[in-house]
Amino acid sequence: MKRELVIVLDFGGQYNQLVARRVRECNVYCEIYSYKTDIEKIKAMRPKGIILTGGPNSCYDADSPTYRKELFELGIPVLGLCYGAQLMMFVLGGNVARADVREYGKTEVLIDKTSSRIFTDISPKTICWMSHFDSIFKAAPGFEITAHTADCPVAAAENEAAGLYAVQFHPEVLHTKEGTKILSNFVLGVCGCAGDWRMDSFVEESIRQIRDKVGNGRVLCALSGGVDSSVAAVLLSKAVGSQLTCVFVDHGLLRKNEGDEVEAVFGPAGSYDLNFIRVNAQQRFYNKLAGVSEPEKKRKIIGEEFIRVFEEEAKKIGAVDFLVQGTIYPDVVESGLGGESAVIKSHHNVGGLPDYVDFKEIIEPLRDLFKDEVRKAGLELGIPEHLVYRQPFPGPGLGVRIIGEVTADKVKIVQDADAIYREEIEKAGLSRGIGQYFAALTNMQSVGVMGDERTYDYAVALRAVNTIDFMTAEAAQIPFTVLNKVMSRIINEVKGVNRVLYDLTSKPPGTIELE
């Protein structure tokens, strides 16, 4: 069965990744591409539908992102969202200008054409999320206005015969009450997608593609023991079996006892048929990180040293043709490689290998999946739930959970504090209800009193967030009694800490990791 595809053309909007998520929730496969993608490439992909994202620009400015009129003449249904809607109108002859009243936030939208295919079963008055300072004042020729607001004369418009639809609001965000239904109406109703893409089909197709790509080649997998790399490793094992070697690098920046736990699961005594190699390189990484405090520099050092370790192991086992990594979609997005998003973080496992590394190619089987989709793939592969729902852990490990210079002493502090925090969260029955939680070590030292003596020790910051896709997150509301117990245990049991803080910052503006 050929997979149906809807593509999202990214014009730099802050919600662009959510569009792909919502489409996939309709069981339709979706990929994101830059608005700079050539029209011939789009034709070759033969998408069932195209969605244009929002963006921060004014479509009528000469240097703003745009697309050729031909895009709307392919006979492929197109849905424009916010900036995408304005751009569609502008390119096709409508009028877009600065609005007299800017709309932002939850706004009542009045549906003028309840028979519209994208408004099927949508309330005549519905709450939608607006975020625009330009407005469509005149729809393009051939378009019918299908919705408005008190301040926006064209909240939606369509040319049904041409399969072109424009909405000024953002149906992809949860604040738009019936947004998922609107997107479903487009991809299933207008585009005619069957809605039969599910994780089992993703797993089956991925295994087939990996087999075709690898052939008789040998594969080296960067196994960290985290959710992403574990799912990637098992997926590769299903595809190529003994051609796969999994290298687990204990860089000394793992959670407490994690190295031994990973080996117990994936090593010779574990339940998986993997060629498993553990490399104990703790001191090597500590030496490289000595004196370095800038977070991006730490990330790059850790990433480069990872590559060096893999390169050395590859030489030991002989020629290796492919390197497998557990890159997932948020990694790609935050590295500036997904559509038009700005660089938020550099990831050691995103963006390809340096020229001097002796591998043919990187295989990133999870590159297009969000975290919750990775977990679904893991369950489909038969990985036990306690591994699939393990807490996410960044590639650079505690290197990005220690503010400032990384030392062995600091690593022990944050390992012990984090272990206490995770233990108490689990005891309280909160572990499955929180997207991610961990302890980090700040670079702040302050005066305290312990045992009638003056101390000058570090402050530990506790982080816990609720999130579905790890693109956005809010601080979890952990009961004060639990936080108080965590604080008490850390102060009493972890040497070098005399203060415990709780981070309330959402993402955005912050990231989930504290660096």
Side-chain angles (χ1 to χ4, degrees), residues 61-92:
D61 288 342
D63 57 350
S64 289
T66 189
Y67 212 95
R68 294 155 52 184
K69 184 179 179 182
E70 185 182 355
L71 179 72
F72 306 104
E73 299 170 343
L74 295 176
I76 299 171
V78 181
L79 172 64
L81 313 179
C82 197
Y83 180 87
Q86 296 169 3
L87 181 66
M88 181 188 295
M89 295 296 100
F90 181 73
V91 169
L92 296 178

Side-chain angles (χ1 to χ4, degrees), residues 240-273:
V240 300
S242 61
Q243 294 166 244
L244 171 68
T245 297
C246 290
V247 174
F248 167 56
V249 177
D250 187 343
H251 50 23
L253 302 170
L254 298 172
R255 289 169 287 205
K256 189 172 183 178
N257 301 325
E258 190 162 31
D260 294 338
E261 292 171 1
V262 170
E263 184 169 2
V265 173
F266 291 100
S271 56
Y272 298 101
D273 184 20

Side-chain angles (χ1 to χ4, degrees), residues 3 7 19 32 34 79 98 126 129 136 145 176 201 237 248 280 289 356 361 371 385 432 455 492:
R3 180 174 65 187
I7 67 171
V19 180
I32 299 176
S34 166
L79 172 64
R98 186 58 58 96
T126 188
W129 184 262
I136 302 165
I145 297 173
T176 297
S201 60
S237 178
F248 167 56
N280 293 310
L289 292 167
Y356 51 82
E361 190 176 345
K371 179 69 74 173
E385 279 196 19
R432 290 291 288 272
T455 63
N492 284 285

Side-chain angles (χ1 to χ4, degrees), residues 17 24 43 86-87 90 95 127 139 174 183 203 227-228 244 260 323 327 346 351 366 417 449 453:
Q17 314 312 322
R24 292 185 190 189
K43 290 180 184 178
Q86 296 169 3
L87 181 66
F90 181 73
N95 178 253
I127 299 299
L174 295 178
L183 288 173
V203 168
V227 177
D228 306 331
L244 171 68
D260 294 338
L323 174 66
T327 308
S346 63
L366 311 178
V449 178
E453 292 185 359

Side-chain angles (χ1 to χ4, degrees), residues 390-432:
R390 190 174 190 174
Q391 278 286 296
F393 196 58
L398 299 180
V400 296
R401 293 184 183 173
I402 295 173
I403 310 303
E405 182 183 10
V406 175
T407 67
D409 288 341
K410 287 184 177 180
V411 169
K412 187 177 188 313
I413 289 173
V414 75
Q415 282 179 334
D416 290 345
D418 181 70
I420 290 170
Y421 185 31
R422 288 187 289 120
E423 181 182 330
E424 292 301 328
I425 290 292
E426 290 172 6
K427 282 183 179 178
L430 302 173
S431 58
R432 290 291 288 272

